[in-house]
Structure formats: C-alpha cells, structure tokens
C-alpha cells in the first residue's frame, strides 16, 4: 500500500524525449503519486524547482544544451537539499561513480526495472523527509531567503552535509560543553572550532594550540603554566593557555597524538574542571570551553588499539562533528577556487584571475587527499604564476602531475615486491619498510611520519622501541 507521503511527494522528470517522459509519468501516476511535473529542457530545471515543494528529480544524463553532470553540479549548488536520481542508457561504471561524487542520490540504467525505480524513489523520499524533519526541529530551512550565521562566512560550501553541520553547531554552540571535531588533515577543523567559539557569544579569547608535538612536560607547561622554580630556568611564574582562554574557548588540535600521561591530565581537567600549574599543589579552576580535533578515528584508537582512553573520548565528544573530506563535497570546488583565487590575489596586490574551464575540470577530477589545504596551495601558486589574467590548465596540471599536459611522461619501471626484497616479504617486513621510508621522507620527524603511515605517534614510538 502506498504511503501518504509518497502520494503527496513532488516529482520532476527531466528528459528530452517525450515518449520517455510519458512513460515515467504513467508509471508514477499508476503508483498513486499525484504531483508529477515534466521538463524536456535541462536549462529550465532550476527555475522549475523554485515553484515545487520538497521535490525529487529524475534527471536524464544525455540531453542537449547541457551535460547531465553540469546540470547536477548546478542543482547541488542552488538546491543542495534536493535528491537527484540519474537515469541514463550509459552503463559505464566511471560515469556512475562521477555522478555519485557530484552528489547524485542514485543512478539507474535503462531499461529501468520497476522495482529499482520504486526503491530509488522511496529511498530518496525517506532521505528528503528526514532532512526536512531535522531542519524543522532546528528551526532552519533550505529556502533561498534562509540566512546563516556570519561565523560561517569563511567556510565556502553549499554541500548538504556541511550545511547540516552548520545548523548542528548553531544548536550546540551555547551549551558550553566539550566538542570534538573529526576530519582529515586540511578539511577545515580549525575553522569549525572558531565558528563554535564565535557563535557561542562568550566574551573570552579563542586560543588554539597544536598538541601533536608536545611531550608530557611541555603539554602541562603549555596548557597549565608553571610557578617560579618549577624547573631549571623557570625564573618566574607563567600562566598557561587554559587561563588565557578564561571565559572563552581553548582549541586543542591533533588530540589523537597525546601520550597516555597527557591524556590522564586532560581527563582530570574535564572531569573535575581543575588543573595544577607545574610545581604547584594549589588547583586552579578551568573556566574555558574545551574544543578538540583529530585527523584519526578516535573510536578505533580507543577500541581496537587501546591507544586512546575510551573515557576521555566520551568526555571530549559530548558534541561530535565529523567533517567530510573535499572529495565528498566536489560541488564546493568551483566556489572554493574563486574564493581562494580572490584571497591569494588580494594578498599579492594583484587582480583576481579567471579560471579556464579545462583548469577547473582538472581540479574537479583530482582526489585532493590534502583537502582544502592542498587546493589552497595549488591556487596560490597558480595566481602567483598567472600573467594573462587567466589560470590555464597548464598552471594546474604542472602541480597535479608534475608535468604539463603536452609533455611526455617518463617511463616508470615498477619493481615487484620480490625484486625489492629478494623474495616475497612478510607483513612484518613490509611494515618495517614502510616505517623506514616514512622516517626517511620526513627527516626522522616522528609526528609527520606517523601521519604518513596513518597511525598515532604513540603507536610509531612503540614500534620503534620494539625494534630497538
């Protein structure tokens, strides 16, 4: 039996063939759906959506005027909340993956099976209803007139997941409870932390510190300060950053790299709201909100490896925010490129250059493992070298591939594992090799090597001690 929600949902069918539109319309009306709109010109899709209530779009990929991918990009910028289901005769997996990366909800290949069509529609409707319910509970809508807090102005996005994070931040900012931000390196964790501070309306300072390179003593001294004579060279008392952030926010970045001893100190700070400066037996009251961030999955570190205290994780993650990487919000890349190009040009006292379509295409297809930080580096470099007011594909390709598009790639000789080790290596030998290469690459910087290996600094230290 068809649900009331399905009967009353609004469907927009986009296809240049009238016979296809008629067939889909008949199929939908036979399912009991009352509101079906058809469109044979993909240039008018956005205009159509402005008059529809919580629509779901079925979009044919191969149409005149604009490519289906271009229409999809446009929809994800102007109507990020609208689920888009791609319909096409193209069964190439690369095309399907690209559409899903651009934000498509589902991908159906012609001839379409009735059960697949119905299942895709029901799933899209469920997602749409849940999203609208969450937005309604938070008192925020996706309408064109909706306004967001100025604290988010430096975070360029139209991605639905990011917009949901904004609304979550607005709802929890004033609580004063700890917040944990998880996300890959370069994904914008500090911008999110700063937004939490700004929206909370507190009068104190925002203080940020990267704790990844701090040993236990330096961690205590940096956060809690010391009294005169606490250690050799401590000629006077010094306040720590926790005190500096009184009435405000202290942001601890790369919290996953804390040693076990430092984790205990931070846990006591969260549990008892007090701390002891080095060399003092008199506690001080913590009057700062604690926001932390990590580029690792702390639940895995706490559960499987035991490198991070589970009780500390629960204390830190009273409010938990998971930032999507840039490759999962590709619809943001064009706007980010424009923003970063304008920012770089202003810093260099230059006119903001335009970006060629082919250069943009290269950026849209790049995986960006370094996220927005990586994109920022490429754009700043391209702006500095741009002399014609246009960032061309050459300027981008040289950074992405290390050579210009027209250059011939040097032949690469691949050495097999057997050739490299003289025999097929064990997993332990492969691990040792990877550790050695990471340390060599980073000039024996253990924090950087741990990041390359995707493990904590403590795990790397344990392996090195075991080897020694």
């Amino acid at each position: 039996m068809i649900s009331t929600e399905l009967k009353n949902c609004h469907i927009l069918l986009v296809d240049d063939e009238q016979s296809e539109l008629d067939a889909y319309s008949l199929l939908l009306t036979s399912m009991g759906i009352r509101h079906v709109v058809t469109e044979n010109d993909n240039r008018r899709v956005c205009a159509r959506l402005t008059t529809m209530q919580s629509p779901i779009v079925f979009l044919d990929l191969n149409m005149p005027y604009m490519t289906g991918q271009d229409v999809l990009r446009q929809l994800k910028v102007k109507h990020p909340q609208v689920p888009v289901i791609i319909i096409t005769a193209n069964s190439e997996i690369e095309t399907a993956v690209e559409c899903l990366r651009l934000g498509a909800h589902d991908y159906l290949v012609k001839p379409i099976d009735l059960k697949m069509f119905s299942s895709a529609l029901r799933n899209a409707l469920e997602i749409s209803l849940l999203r609208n319910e969450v937005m309604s509970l938070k008192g925020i809508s996706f309408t064109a007139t909706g306004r967001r807090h100025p604290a988010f102005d430096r975070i360029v996005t139209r991605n639905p997941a990011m917009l949901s994070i904004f609304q979550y931040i607005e709802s929890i900012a004033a609580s004063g409870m700890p917040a944990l931000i998880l996300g890959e390196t370069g994904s914008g964790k500090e911008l999110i932390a700063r937004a939490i501070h700004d929206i909370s309306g507190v009068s104190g300072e925002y203080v940020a510190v990267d704790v990844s390179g701090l040993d236990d003593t330096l961690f205590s001294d940096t956060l809690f300060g010391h009294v005169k004579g606490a250690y050799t060279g401590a000629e006077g008392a010094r306040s720590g950053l926790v005190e500096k952030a009184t009435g405000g926010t202290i942001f601890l970045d790369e919290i996953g790299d804390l040693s076990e001893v430092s984790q205990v100190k931070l846990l006591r700070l969260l549990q008892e709201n007090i701390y002891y400066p080095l060399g003092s037996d008199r506690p001080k009251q913590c009057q700062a909100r604690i926001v932390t961030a990590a580029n690792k999955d702390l639940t895995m570190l706490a559960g499987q490896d035991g490198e991070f205290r589970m009780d500390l994780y629960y204390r830190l993650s009273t409010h938990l925010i998971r930032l999507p990487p840039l490759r999962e919000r590709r619809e943001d890349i064009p706007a980010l490129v424009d923003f970063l190009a304008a920012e770089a040009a202003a810093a260099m006292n230059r006119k903001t250059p335009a970006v060629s379509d082919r250069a943009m295409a290269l950026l849209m297809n790049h995986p960006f493992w370094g996220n927005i930080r990586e994109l920022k580096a490429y754009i700043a470099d391209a702006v500095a070298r741009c002399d014609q007011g246009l960032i061309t594909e050459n300027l981008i390709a040289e950074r992405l591939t290390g050579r210009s598009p027209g250059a011939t790639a040097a032949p690469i000789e691949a050495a097999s594992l057997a050739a490299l080790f003289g025999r097929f290596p064990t997993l332990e030998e492969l691990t040792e090799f990877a550790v050695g290469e990471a340390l060599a690459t980073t000039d024996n910087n253990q924090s950087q090597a741990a990041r390359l290996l995707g493990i904590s600094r403590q795990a790397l230290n344990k392996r090195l001690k075991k080897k020694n």
Side-chain angles (χ1 to χ4, degrees), residues 53-278:
Q53 182 179 1
S54 301
I56 295 171
V57 176
F58 284 85
L59 174 65
D60 184 60
L61 208 56
N62 301 310
M63 293 181 65
Y65 309 120
M66 298 173 66
T67 67
Q69 285 94 335
D70 286 340
V71 176
L72 182 57
R73 290 189 187 98
Q74 190 179 79
L75 288 176
K76 289 293 115 180
V77 170
K78 296 184 177 180
H79 303 277
Q81 80 283 9
V82 175
V84 180
I85 299 171
I86 298 296
I87 296 179
T88 180
N90 188 344
S91 60
E92 292 182 1
I93 189 65
E94 292 83 0
T95 305
V97 169
E98 179 62 20
C99 289
L100 294 174
R101 282 179 175 174
L102 291 174
H105 174 77
D106 210 337
Y107 187 96
L108 303 178
V109 179
K110 299 176 183 179
I112 298 171
D113 179 80
L114 176 60
K115 290 183 179 180
M116 294 288 291
F117 187 91
S118 177
S119 176
L121 174 57
R122 291 175 189 274
N123 289 338
L125 176 62
E126 183 178 351
I127 292 295
S128 181
L129 290 173
L130 286 172
R131 181 180 290 136
N132 290 339
E133 182 179 353
V134 171
M135 296 305 104
S136 176
L137 288 171
K138 293 178 179 178
I140 303 170
S141 70
F142 275 104
T143 59
T145 57
R147 297 178 61 84
R148 69 189 193 194
H149 197 281
F152 299 118
D153 285 351
R154 283 193 59 80
I155 306 176
V156 180
T157 186
R158 291 298 299 259
N159 176 266
M162 289 295 294
L163 295 176
S164 295
I165 288 172
F166 290 175
Q167 290 141 14
Y168 177 71
I169 289 172
E170 290 191 65
S171 67
I172 60 96
S175 76
M177 301 296 288
L180 173 62
I181 307 165
L182 298 179
E184 295 180 5
T185 299
S187 57
K189 297 187 291 295
E190 185 165 356
L191 288 176
I192 293 295
R194 185 70 200 223
I196 294 173
H197 170 79
D198 291 342
I199 296 172
S200 66
V202 294
S203 58
E205 288 187 43
Y206 169 82
V207 179
V209 55
D210 185 341
V211 301
S212 63
L214 304 181
D215 60 24
D216 298 325
T217 301
L218 193 54
F219 174 81
S220 297
D221 196 14
T222 301
L223 264 64
F224 309 141
H226 62 257
V227 298
K228 182 179 179 180
Y231 53 83
T232 304
E235 299 178 353
R238 184 180 67 81
S239 299
L241 295 182
V242 171
E243 185 171 341
K244 183 179 180 182
T246 294
T249 303
I250 182 164
F251 172 56
L252 307 179
D253 200 4
E254 306 300 355
I255 202 75
D257 290 336
L258 275 184
S259 70
E260 187 174 351
V261 175
S262 295
Q263 289 179 39
V264 172
K265 295 175 182 177
L266 182 57
L267 179 61
R268 182 170 60 186
L269 179 68
L270 290 162
Q271 287 177 331
E272 303 172 12
N273 223 30
I274 61 172
Y275 62 95
Y276 292 84
L278 283 176

Side-chain angles (χ1 to χ4, degrees), residues 267-325:
L267 179 61
R268 182 170 60 186
L269 179 68
L270 290 162
Q271 287 177 331
E272 303 172 12
N273 223 30
I274 61 172
Y275 62 95
Y276 292 84
L278 283 176
S280 173
D281 56 1
R282 294 183 179 180
K284 286 191 173 185
Q285 194 78 17
C286 174
Q287 297 178 343
R289 183 188 197 154
I290 298 175
V291 178
T292 56
N295 61 8
K296 306 178 181 71
D297 188 343
L298 295 188
T299 55
M300 184 176 295
L301 290 179
Q304 295 180 1
D305 302 332
E307 296 174 12
F308 199 85
R309 294 180 63 103
M310 186 66 78
D311 49 358
L312 176 58
Y313 169 75
Y314 288 135
R315 289 279 183 177
L316 294 173
S317 61
T318 301
H319 302 306
L320 180 61
I321 298 169
R322 294 182 182 272
L323 282 184

Side-chain angles (χ1 to χ4, degrees), residues 250-441:
I250 182 164
F251 172 56
L252 307 179
D253 200 4
E254 306 300 355
I255 202 75
D257 290 336
L258 275 184
S259 70
E260 187 174 351
V261 175
S262 295
Q263 289 179 39
V264 172
K265 295 175 182 177
L266 182 57
L267 179 61
R268 182 170 60 186
L269 179 68
L270 290 162
Q271 287 177 331
E272 303 172 12
N273 223 30
I274 61 172
Y275 62 95
Y276 292 84
L278 283 176
S280 173
D281 56 1
R282 294 183 179 180
K284 286 191 173 185
Q285 194 78 17
C286 174
Q287 297 178 343
R289 183 188 197 154
I290 298 175
V291 178
T292 56
N295 61 8
K296 306 178 181 71
D297 188 343
L298 295 188
T299 55
M300 184 176 295
L301 290 179
Q304 295 180 1
D305 302 332
E307 296 174 12
F308 199 85
R309 294 180 63 103
M310 186 66 78
D311 49 358
L312 176 58
Y313 169 75
Y314 288 135
R315 289 279 183 177
L316 294 173
S317 61
T318 301
H319 302 306
L320 180 61
I321 298 169
R322 294 182 182 272
L323 282 184
L326 184 56
R327 59 186 172 277
E328 292 180 10
R329 38 181 286 220
R330 291 183 179 275
E331 65 270 35
D332 288 341
I333 291 178
L336 279 167
V337 169
D338 292 340
F339 176 83
L340 294 172
E343 185 180 62
M348 301 175 194
N349 293 319
R350 305 181 67 171
K351 184 178 179 181
T352 303
V355 181
S356 73
D357 291 342
R358 298 186 70 173
M360 186 66 75
L362 285 175
L363 293 169
M364 290 294 294
N365 290 318
H366 188 65
F368 284 109
W369 300 110
N371 292 291
I372 300 170
R373 191 174 298 161
E374 181 184 355
L375 175 62
K376 183 176 182 178
Y378 296 159
I379 297 303
D381 180 67
V383 170
R385 296 190 294 139
C386 175
D387 56 4
Q388 299 294 329
L390 180 68
I391 296 177
T392 64
E393 62 173 322
N394 290 340
L395 295 176
I396 298 300
E398 288 171 10
R399 287 304 303 268
L400 298 188
T401 65
R403 59 188 179 87
S404 62
T408 301
I412 300 175
E413 295 182 4
S416 68
L417 292 176
L420 189 62
F421 287 86
R423 55 184 169 72
F424 200 83
T426 65
L427 285 176
E428 182 65 23
E429 288 171 334
L430 280 174
T431 302
E432 292 298 333
F433 178 76
V435 169
E437 288 296 301
L439 289 170
T441 301

